[in-house]
Amino acid sequence: MKILSVKSVIVLLAAVAVPSISMAAACKPAISEAEVKTTQDKWGKGLVEIGAAKNPKAEAEKFIADIYAYQNGPVLFKPTVASTDEFRQTPEEALSYFVTGQDKEDKGFALAPYTKVRFENHAITYDCNTAVSMGNYYFTGKDGKETKVTYTMGFVKEPDGKVKINIQHSSLPYVAEKAKDKKG
């Protein structure tokens, strides 16, 4: 049995207690702000292209393979208008949400169609190999009206240098109920 010195125990406890400090100091973020914004832009344009395509299913399959990191492991995807089956763990489930409607509640979100998607990032955080953005994105319909959606997206960089999405959570903004008249 090896006995640790008091100094060793203090150093060990400090490393365990504050891993984020030592981790942050040990690496330079692999993903830049420009790469996050480029990937967001690519996501928005891809969604518009699905809705405008002659073969939306084929366009969506290409989009999912190109923008999401499903081939590298789990993607945590919670679509905007999903409440019964809330998460899309596979490329096939993402395809159902965007165009095919294999799941009962999926109506083909990308088929609206949208003419534009714009992002307003609240903030972007960076780690050694990942980045996370949070904010609002706005979907412009054919009528020119925008729908505001709140999002969080996580990004990873693949060995070939491509930045892909491995986390996406979207939801319509919270709307407080009007106070009910309690007199009657």
Side-chain angles (χ1 to χ4, degrees):
M1 177 177 192
K2 185 174 179 180
I3 298 176
L4 297 173
S5 70
V6 172
K7 185 178 179 181
S8 296
V9 170
I10 291 171
V11 169
L12 179 61
L13 287 173
V16 171
V18 212
S20 60
I21 292 173
S22 58
M23 290 279 296
C27 70
K28 178 182 175 196
I31 300 172
S32 70
E33 179 179 5
E35 289 172 312
V36 167
K37 289 181 175 181
T38 297
T39 305
Q40 290 173 328
D41 220 29
K42 189 175 177 181
W43 185 91
K45 288 177 182 172
L47 189 74
V48 169
E49 289 170 4
I50 293 169
K54 289 185 180 182
N55 184 343
K57 183 179 178 189
E59 191 69 31
E61 288 171 332
K62 184 178 143 227
F63 169 76
I64 292 164
D66 193 42
I67 203 80
Y68 291 99
Y70 282 108
Q71 64 278 9
N72 297 329
V75 170
L76 307 178
F77 180 23
K78 190 317 191 166
T80 308
V81 289
S83 62
T84 304
D85 184 10
E86 297 172 294
F87 307 102
R88 302 300 185 271
Q89 297 179 11
T90 67
E92 295 76 24
E93 290 172 346
L95 185 66
S96 174
Y97 178 72
F98 286 121
V99 296
T100 67
Q102 288 176 311
D103 186 292
K104 285 186 269 182
E105 77 177 325
D106 292 342
K107 307 295 182 219
F109 181 79
L111 302 177
Y114 299 103
T115 59
K116 182 173 132 184
V117 178
R118 74 178 169 86
F119 282 78
E120 285 184 0
N121 292 316
H122 168 70
I124 303 171
T125 63
Y126 305 90
D127 196 355
C128 296
N129 299 310
T130 63
V132 177
S133 66
M134 179 181 279
N136 296 305
Y137 40 19
Y138 298 82
F139 297 84
T140 304
K142 287 177 101 173
D143 60 1
K145 292 183 181 177
E146 283 188 329
T147 300
K148 177 182 174 180
V149 178
T150 303
Y151 78 89
T152 301
M153 284 185 168
F155 304 88
V156 293
K157 187 175 273 192
E158 298 195 319
D160 66 3
K162 283 186 178 179
V163 174
K164 291 194 173 186
I165 297 167
N166 70 340
I167 299 171
Q168 181 177 349
H169 180 279
S170 300
S171 57
L172 295 170
Y174 173 74
V175 177
E177 288 187 56
K178 292 182 180 180
K180 294 181 181 180
D181 184 4
K182 297 185 179 188
K183 293 180 183 178

